[in-house]
Amino acid sequence: MSATSTSTSPSNGPSNGPSAGSSSAPSTGPVTRGAPDADLHRARALRRMRAVALGLLLLAATVYVATHGQDGFWGYVNAGAEASMVGAIADWFAVTALFRHPLGLPIPHTALIPRRKDDLGRGLEEFVGENFLSEPVVRERVLAAGPAGRVGDWLVQPEHAARVVEEAAELVSAALGKVRDEHVRSLVEDALVPRFREEPISPLLGNLLAEAMRDDLHHGLVDLVLEELHGWLLDNPDTVTEVIGERAPWWAPTSINERVTGRIHLELVRWVADIRDQPRHRARLALDSMLRQLAADLLHDTDTRARTEALKDRLLDRPQVIATGIALWDALRRALEGSLADPDGAVRLRMRTEVERFARRLVEEPELRERLDGLVADAAVYAIERYGAELTQVITQTIERWDGKEAARRIELHVGRDLQFIRINGTIVGGLVGVLIHAVAEVL
């Protein structure tokens, strides 16, 4: 509700007594057309409590009039009724002075909330910031909540893990569907290609090749190539002999050419098999030496580095680079989308396995839970330190946008019902004190 939408009925205007003073325009008409149900409920509760407080005041006044001038027991009743009226009126004044001028009179230090709403907003901002958004409080509450343990207890249930995987799969699929070919083209043309041109590739390739040679990572690739080459040579003898025969002299007899090409094919198969089966074969050692030299040249030889960079530039200048990038992305996206859409696909099964494994670790490993709880607490503290001021400023900024009457009306809706108990208690306690004072006076 906005301040401009507040409407007041004729019976809610400024009053001339305690009963009406508790029902002036901003408060007995706190509900506007279209107000939320919660505000309607609060307004009804506030009116009921005001009626109770006013009823007690009227009852005390009636008893006072009925017992005026009488002695004995009724004298005590009269004294109690008189004190009850005093207490009720005094507390009515105190409660009303918070939200408006009692009886509409500009009495000093009344209508505190309309006049001091900005100070109230700043006070609330400081109170919330110091007592609820401070680092010790946030860290203590996060650690006490134990988010990692709760997540583990929830994820360890198979149906919950399956739900997480399903939601993640749908989210990733939706994200993949939003990426268009033009987005990939723009990324490749505007970001990747210029970056590749600026970044020297020779040191990267040299270090990568040197690390691979140091860890013997290339041996697996060499073994795979030799195995495939040996199988192809065995399965395609005619192709090999045909290729070799094309290089034979034209004047040599056909029978001799066939025997020679056949022998070459046989020796080639044996040679590849020897290289495959002997890890210390001379050909392997020669390849290792060549690759090590290439790695060193990529790192230190000026000519080799220049040729490598020139080759990189020629490749980047070819239009096929962008087309290849788009094609690779499109193939990867289709494969991912297909696997994510299949409940029994490889990606979903792997995701479910990893989620269940992570959940079991959360349940079984206290050290992991403590470490993750600490990370969550650190993240919460960082967010509070960085954005806490913006969060608490919402209080001040919101209250500053209200006018004085609107601020009083909103606050009275929330706390006014409870404040009416001050009036009720003042009526009752005042009556008891009046009886006590009358008794002391009688004794004296």
Side-chain angles (χ1 to χ4, degrees), residues 39-106:
D39 283 354
L40 292 172
H41 176 74
R42 295 187 186 103
R44 286 193 295 268
L46 177 58
R47 286 194 294 268
R48 284 196 299 267
M49 292 307 299
R50 282 175 173 166
V52 172
L54 177 60
L56 288 177
L57 174 59
L58 294 177
L59 176 61
T62 302
V63 172
Y64 174 77
V65 172
T67 59
H68 182 68
Q70 300 186 28
D71 298 325
F73 171 78
W74 296 110
Y76 284 91
V77 174
N78 180 264
E82 181 181 10
S84 292
M85 288 190 298
V86 174
I89 294 173
D91 287 336
W92 161 81
F93 183 91
V95 171
T96 303
L98 291 172
F99 305 103
R100 65 195 66 84
H101 296 297
L103 305 178
L105 301 175

Side-chain angles (χ1 to χ4, degrees), residues 213-234:
M213 295 296 297
R214 185 177 299 112
D215 296 333
D216 293 331
L217 298 180
H218 65 296
H219 287 168
L221 178 60
V222 172
D223 292 340
L224 176 62
V225 171
L226 291 172
E227 185 67 34
E228 293 297 325
L229 178 59
H230 184 264
W232 185 85
L233 290 173
L234 290 177

Side-chain angles (χ1 to χ4, degrees), residues 245-264:
E246 291 177 355
R247 307 299 299 174
W250 60 270
W251 46 264
T254 302
S255 59
I256 295 177
N257 287 340
E258 290 177 352
R259 286 196 297 270
V260 171
T261 54
R263 184 65 180 182
I264 293 175

Side-chain angles (χ1 to χ4, degrees), residues 404-419:
K405 293 181 178 180
E406 174 71 2
R409 184 188 66 77
R410 287 176 179 266
I411 296 173
E412 190 175 13
L413 267 182
H414 286 78
V415 302
R417 176 181 179 275
D418 295 327
L419 290 177

Side-chain angles (χ1 to χ4, degrees), residues 20 63 79-80 82 142 152 156 178 201 220 244 267 272 288 296 313 316 324 344 347 357 360 378 380 409:
V63 172
E82 181 181 10
V142 171
V156 79
K178 296 295 184 180
I201 196 174
I244 298 174
E267 292 300 328
V272 171
D288 290 351
D313 291 337
L316 293 178
T324 301
D344 297 322
V347 175
R357 182 181 301 169
R360 287 194 300 270
D378 291 341
R409 184 188 66 77

